[in-house]
Amino acid sequence: MLALLWGSIFSNGIHTIINEGTYIGVNRLLGVGIVCSIFVIMDVKNNTLRILFGFFSLMNLFFMTQTGGRGPLIAVIISLIFSLVWNYNTGKVRDYLWYMITLFVSLIILVLNGGRTINRLLSLIHDPGRSAIIRIDMAIHSVNLFLERPLLGHGIGSFPTLYKSGTYMYPHNIFLEILVESGTIGIIFLSFFIYYVSITVIKYRNHNYRLAGLISSLIIYSLINASVSFDIPGNKVFFIYSAMVLALFGYDSSNGSV
């Protein structure tokens, strides 16, 4: 965020800091900052720190609306709604609501102000553009490929060879990628993994409600991102956050050990 702020003030704009090949990754990092800031603000009592983290998250939101990554912005909005539901019964819902209202009012202002991300989102209504159309085409083609070999799939890494254009290395959706390459068996394993992680974090909430909520929000954020861009290795953060949950499963609250 500070690097983008420096570029926008002292250089020739934020695109002097990022380029077309990295803007999605940068947006994902900005979104993680927003999700984490909420739980920090809810935990700390120092008003200076709360204002500081609130400022950071607002600046992250601003840059997310300027750099062009639609998926991370949608993912952060959904994860914020989830975190609101999660924190509703914590006794700090008033503070949380004020923070959420500030974020969404800022988002509305940013929508009116424009920005590359906002313009790309609005274009989905009247002119989806090449990126959206290609994703739809890849989704349709992925389903057809799955139907050809529904049980075991076509093999790991087979999508770029099988996709008719031969241009894209993956279908920009982790579920479609696994369906094509690993079939029903693969999607069952992934579904069970997500289910197991979800059950684990729900069980852990009695030990540390806030930490369980933070990790859950990060998993939801990363899973939504994994549904719109990058391949399986590129979505490694989803598995990293999931591993954090699985570590919590072995947490002993009596002595603080894992």
Side-chain angles (χ1 to χ4, degrees):
M1 186 273 289
L2 292 175
L4 291 172
L5 184 62
W6 178 273
S8 62
I9 296 176
F10 299 104
S11 299
N12 297 319
I14 58 176
H15 292 287
T16 60
I17 305 297
I18 61 175
N19 56 50
E20 289 296 323
T22 60
Y23 74 96
I24 292 292
V26 170
N27 268 268
R28 288 187 174 192
L29 287 175
L30 293 171
V32 168
I34 295 174
V35 174
C36 292
S37 292
I38 290 177
F39 288 87
V40 172
I41 290 170
M42 294 291 289
D43 268 340
V44 300
K45 296 181 179 179
N46 187 302
N47 287 330
T48 302
L49 285 177
R50 297 176 78 178
I51 292 172
L52 182 63
F53 275 92
F55 170 75
F56 283 158
S57 58
L58 288 174
M59 290 304 301
N60 281 12
L61 181 64
F62 169 73
F63 287 122
M64 288 187 77
T65 64
Q66 305 300 305
T67 47
R70 292 175 294 190
L73 182 60
I74 294 172
V76 80
I77 292 173
I78 294 174
S79 62
L80 288 177
I81 294 172
F82 168 81
S83 60
L84 172 62
V85 175
W86 184 275
N87 287 290
Y88 186 77
N89 295 319
T90 61
K92 295 183 178 181
V93 68
R94 181 181 298 178
D95 294 338
Y96 185 84
L97 281 174
W98 275 115
Y99 177 73
M100 290 288 290
I101 289 170
T102 302
L103 273 180
F104 281 105
V105 168
S106 301
L107 183 59
I108 292 173
I109 294 173
L110 292 170
V111 168
L112 297 175
N113 179 56
R116 187 177 178 213
T117 308
I118 301 300
N119 291 335
R120 292 187 72 212
L121 275 174
L122 296 177
S123 70
L124 292 174
I125 301 173
H126 54 82
D127 181 19
R130 182 172 178 269
S131 177
I133 292 174
I134 289 175
R135 276 175 166 79
I136 294 172
D137 181 76
M138 285 192 293
I140 295 172
H141 200 69
S142 295
V143 173
N144 291 332
L145 288 172
F146 163 70
L147 293 176
E148 290 178 7
R149 298 192 64 181
L151 185 60
L152 297 175
H154 293 269
I156 300 299
S158 60
F159 181 85
T161 303
L162 297 169
Y163 184 52
K164 59 184 179 182
S165 74
T167 304
Y168 292 90
M169 302 297 293
Y170 47 86
H172 290 68
N173 181 294
I174 193 172
F175 298 100
L176 292 175
E177 184 176 359
I178 289 177
L179 272 178
V180 171
E181 300 182 353
S182 302
T184 303
I185 300 298
I187 206 67
I188 288 174
F189 276 113
L190 178 63
S191 300
F192 178 77
F193 177 75
I194 294 173
Y195 168 78
Y196 185 75
V197 168
S198 302
I199 292 299
T200 301
V201 77
I202 289 173
K203 289 181 179 179
Y204 182 76
R205 71 186 188 279
N206 294 327
H207 293 290
N208 191 323
Y209 193 85
R210 196 65 51 76
L211 179 58
L214 170 58
I215 297 176
S216 298
S217 296
L218 290 172
I219 290 175
I220 290 174
Y221 175 74
S222 58
L223 189 57
I224 294 171
N225 277 310
S227 301
V228 294
S229 63
F230 289 2
D231 58 354
I232 296 173
N235 283 295
K236 55 185 175 293
V237 291
F238 164 67
F239 298 101
I240 292 173
Y241 296 142
S242 300
M244 293 170 63
V245 174
L246 298 179
L248 294 178
F249 185 75
Y251 180 79
D252 185 350
S253 59
S254 61
N255 57 27
S257 63
V258 176

